[in-house]
Amino acid sequence: MADTNSKQPKSSSRREFLKNSGIALGGLMVGGVLGGSLFGSKKAEVEKVVEKSVNYNQALMFFNQEQFQLTEAACERIFPQDEHGPGAKELGVAFYIDHQLASPWGINAKDYMTGPFYPGEPTQGMQTSLKRAEIFTLGLQGLADYSKKKYNKRFTDLTEAEQDETLKVFEAGKEYQLAGTSTTGFFSLLRSMTIEGVYADPMYGGNKDMQGWKMRNYPGNQMSFAKDIEKDEFMKIEPKSLHDHMGH
């Protein structure tokens, strides 16, 4: 007859092995026996990496790198850094535009986009069968082509004065024409999206650290103003993003 007591050390040994190796619920027991031996003096380093904040909004969804850099440079001339605060580049406006163009808004998902198409009156804005993402792509290529033709340089390599002059040509819409759309229409879209990116909620990719709001003393998305609504003096309130209210 087998001695059941002889199995106890083996079973106990197996449990100890599983415990010490951290194989519990399919995971590694960091901070346990193995965790301590693996990380040792580097434990603080690991914790630092885990705690490091990462802005996952700063990832391209539509642009390639060249288009992104071109957009970033053009937006900075529309909303440049000055003594009042950061410009479009630091605020992450190009990421905001990238995300919008990658969204249903970029393909005019909620707009009627079936013909017939007629030229619009000046007061009606641009009338086109092209989607916003297509207009922006053509406009960026136009900026690149015009810069090469006029200055024999990339738009991103132009001086600030040359970049401003190029954007003025596109705004006027007379000296240079785009195939399939107008420079004026593209510039109008670029300008409006730049301003949106400066002041939109940071959840959408721009207005980094709510700096656009802070420059305007705008409170952002507060839950309530009930305790301050009847005060006579100007209230400077620390702004809040929609993200700050998640889970409330």
Side-chain angles (χ1 to χ4, degrees):
M1 186 173 181
D3 183 1
T4 56
N5 291 331
S6 64
K7 292 183 179 180
Q8 186 61 33
K10 183 182 289 186
S11 177
S12 176
S13 174
R14 184 181 296 112
R15 282 195 295 272
E16 286 300 313
F17 171 77
L18 292 175
K19 176 183 176 183
N20 292 342
S21 61
I23 305 175
L25 301 177
L28 178 65
M29 298 194 311
V30 178
V33 178
L34 184 61
S37 62
L38 269 179
F39 298 111
S41 61
K42 292 193 174 184
K43 183 178 179 182
E45 247 179 81
V46 174
E47 290 174 348
K48 185 178 179 182
V49 172
V50 171
E51 292 174 3
K52 185 179 178 183
S53 176
V54 179
N55 186 353
Y56 292 103
N57 263 337
Q58 293 190 343
L60 297 182
M61 301 178 182
F62 179 80
F63 291 140
N64 59 36
Q65 282 295 326
E66 182 180 359
Q67 290 170 329
F68 175 77
Q69 291 167 7
L70 213 165
T71 301
E72 200 172 50
C75 291
E76 182 67 16
R77 297 315 307 147
I78 293 173
F79 195 93
Q81 178 181 1
D82 61 16
E83 68 276 11
H84 300 293
K89 181 176 181 178
E90 186 178 339
L91 290 170
V93 168
F95 285 110
Y96 168 82
I97 295 176
D98 170 82
H99 297 356
Q100 292 301 303
L101 294 177
S103 75
W105 182 87
I107 58 171
N108 298 66
K110 293 187 177 182
D111 298 336
Y112 179 81
M113 296 298 291
T114 304
F117 298 99
Y118 300 102
E121 297 297 326
T123 54
Q124 293 178 305
M126 182 169 59
Q127 304 293 310
T128 178
S129 61
L130 294 178
K131 299 176 177 65
R132 295 182 184 99
E134 295 171 329
I135 294 170
F136 215 91
T137 300
L138 289 171
L140 291 178
Q141 187 59 54
L143 281 179
D145 293 343
Y146 180 84
S147 302
K148 187 70 175 177
K149 179 181 177 181
K150 176 78 174 180
Y151 301 103
N152 197 29
K153 290 189 291 186
R154 298 193 307 170
F155 182 85
T156 51
D157 293 331
L158 300 180
T159 65
E160 291 180 355
E162 290 170 339
Q163 289 177 341
D164 289 348
E165 190 58 38
T166 299
L167 291 174
K168 287 178 182 177
V169 167
F170 272 59
E171 181 182 20
K174 297 177 181 178
E175 183 179 331
Y176 185 74
Q177 300 298 321
L178 294 174
T181 187
S182 68
T183 60
T184 303
F186 163 68
F187 178 83
S188 178
L189 185 61
L190 172 67
R191 184 183 182 280
S192 63
M193 294 186 77
T194 298
I195 302 304
E196 287 176 21
V198 170
Y199 296 118
D201 192 286
M203 282 188 67
Y204 300 105
N207 192 12
K208 185 179 178 182
D209 298 329
M210 294 179 280
Q211 293 179 84
W213 289 347
K214 290 174 183 177
M215 285 188 282
R216 295 275 185 172
N217 288 320
Y218 178 68
N221 295 289
Q222 301 289 326
M223 292 289 284
S224 171
F225 295 96
K227 63 183 177 62
D228 300 317
I229 196 69
E230 294 185 0
K231 293 180 180 178
D232 293 330
E233 70 274 18
F234 175 78
M235 301 295 300
K236 189 169 183 178
I237 303 172
E238 188 67 21
K240 288 186 179 295
S241 164
L242 288 167
H243 183 273
D244 295 328
H245 304 304
M246 292 179 68
H248 287 265

